[in-house]
Amino acid sequence: MLDLYKLTNSHGAEVSITNYGGAVMSIKVPDRNGVFGDVVLGYDTLDEYTRNPRYLGALIGRHANRIARGRFTLNGVEYQLAQNNGANHLHGGNHGFDKRIWSATKTAENVLRLRYFSEDGEENYPGNLTVEVDYSLTDENELRIEYQATSDKDTIVNLTNHSYFNLAGSGDILGHELMLNAGAFTPVSDDLIPTGEISPVENTVMDFRTARPIGQGGYDHNFVLRDWDHASIRSVARLREPVSGRVMEVLTTEPGIQFYSGNFFDGSVKGKGGVALEKYAGLCLETQHFPDAPNHPNFPTTVLRAGEPYHQVTVYRFTTD
């Protein structure tokens, strides 16, 4: 059964979430004049999410991002996953976590707990995997997402949220100013698979160490975040929309962040209010482990051993200037 849940705080902020794919349907926060607006792309009805071709707001798993040729080897066994993005595997396959109905419990006015059991062999991933995600809306206007998982067999896990942000609430995101606490990125081939290199951002268009307008867009890259130590949450990104004054800070325990500027929107999909989603209508800042990590030993591993806990936290903090 498809359901809609709303989280509120004492300052009037509101987040709407559906148990279909765990998708964040809306985030309503104020601008510098106190006027509330919705800052994520989405749809007006729950039914539209079941036909969601763009992962709008969804939870992504079992393995976010791309895996080359849909193949990986674990404990000497080669697994062939769905090739649902050209020759490659993307965002968990044909029926990833974004297309599953999660069980949901609202544990407080500001907390929603989602749970999903992914059977051994689902999308050809090994292991019975139990996943739990808590969405919390704090009184500091923070959307906190805490992920936990365990498996009864060794497997690979890389979870994220695929919300598209537009802090203006409409138009494109090219005038947004972005800062990323990343001194390096992972270059990709023409089909967006990492080459295995880790390259410095200095003197490249990938350098967002100092806040600057996004400009011409065209980004769909994983950035290597500084100060990663597996457990500590730290600030990794700051997004500002100068007209509204809205600011979003991203904090995470993850080693990477995928900055995607909405390059593939072409007006064929209509979002809220029937408005066509044109190129650069929203951007993603997906906290994660690196794309194609199972095939690159020099990348932080996404292997989850049987019985060991998977845990990560990401916070989207909304303020104004």
Side-chain angles (χ1 to χ4, degrees):
M1 181 176 179
L2 302 186
D3 289 309
L4 171 65
Y5 300 86
K6 290 187 178 181
L7 308 181
T8 58
N9 70 10
S10 62
H11 301 296
E14 181 183 285
V15 176
S16 296
I17 300 162
T18 173
N19 63 332
Y20 184 82
V24 174
M25 294 178 64
S26 68
I27 300 176
K28 297 177 181 178
V29 291
D31 65 10
R32 66 163 61 96
N33 297 314
V35 177
F36 282 78
D38 188 357
V39 297
V40 291
L41 305 186
Y43 304 106
D44 291 320
T45 66
L46 291 176
D47 181 64
E48 288 173 286
Y49 281 86
T50 67
R51 296 178 272 112
N52 180 352
R54 302 283 181 169
Y55 306 101
L56 299 189
L59 294 175
I60 304 297
R62 213 179 266 204
H63 201 285
N65 220 299
R66 293 171 175 85
I67 296 177
R69 303 177 307 282
R71 297 176 192 163
F72 71 96
T73 299
L74 180 61
N75 299 334
V77 178
E78 183 177 272
Y79 293 87
Q80 178 65 62
L81 306 174
Q83 293 169 288
N84 62 320
N85 184 240
N88 303 311
H89 181 77
L90 178 67
H91 291 335
N94 293 317
H95 292 90
F97 291 179
D98 60 295
K99 297 178 181 69
R100 304 292 179 172
I101 297 177
W102 295 59
S103 63
T105 304
K106 197 172 181 186
T107 59
E109 280 302 304
N110 67 326
V111 181
L112 179 68
R113 176 164 293 169
L114 297 175
R115 194 172 186 272
Y116 180 66
F117 178 71
S118 176
E119 292 186 354
D120 183 20
E122 181 178 289
E123 288 291 322
N124 212 31
Y125 286 94
N128 290 300
L129 184 76
T130 299
V131 185
E132 195 170 87
V133 178
D134 281 0
Y135 282 112
S136 305
L137 177 62
T138 74
D139 276 338
E140 288 71 42
N141 285 359
E142 298 170 333
L143 178 60
R144 176 186 170 92
I145 312 175
E146 183 170 4
Y147 307 78
Q148 298 185 81
T150 57
S151 176
D152 64 355
K153 293 181 183 177
D154 292 355
T155 189
I156 58 171
V157 179
N158 188 20
L159 306 178
T160 194
N161 176 272
H162 207 293
S163 288
Y164 286 84
F165 297 96
N166 184 324
L167 299 185
S170 62
D172 65 50
I173 48 80
L174 299 180
H176 285 50
E177 297 165 358
L178 178 64
M179 186 281 294
L180 294 174
N181 187 21
F185 72 105
T186 51
V188 293
S189 59
D190 289 343
D191 58 354
L192 301 176
I193 294 295
T195 63
E197 301 169 273
I198 294 178
S199 298
V201 300
E202 190 171 5
N203 298 321
T204 75
V205 296
M206 301 295 172
D207 193 349
F208 287 94
R209 292 174 297 174
T210 300
R212 64 176 176 86
I214 290 166
Q216 295 304 306
Y219 294 95
D220 194 1
H221 296 82
N222 171 68
F223 287 78
V224 179
L225 299 172
R226 292 172 170 158
D227 306 322
W228 182 58
D229 68 356
H230 299 267
S232 299
I233 192 167
R234 77 279 192 217
S235 180
V236 299
R238 186 179 189 270
L239 184 69
R240 175 178 179 267
E241 200 286 303
V243 177
S244 68
R246 291 190 182 98
V247 174
M248 183 180 78
E249 183 182 4
V250 184
L251 304 91
T252 191
T253 57
E254 290 296 276
I257 192 167
Q258 185 84 7
F259 168 37
Y260 172 51
S261 54
N263 318 323
F264 298 117
F265 284 129
D266 59 6
S268 61
V269 174
K270 293 184 178 179
K272 296 167 187 172
V275 175
L277 299 178
E278 303 288 354
K279 195 173 187 179
Y280 310 134
L283 64 87
C284 298
L285 292 169
E286 301 159 73
T287 54
Q288 57 173 14
H289 276 53
F290 302 172
D292 201 29
N295 295 311
H296 297 282
N298 59 317
F299 289 0
T301 184
T302 55
V303 173
L304 178 66
R305 298 297 178 187
E308 292 185 356
Y310 173 99
H311 181 254
Q312 65 127 314
V313 178
T314 292
V315 174
Y316 296 99
R317 177 184 292 160
F318 298 92
T319 57
T320 59
D321 66 6

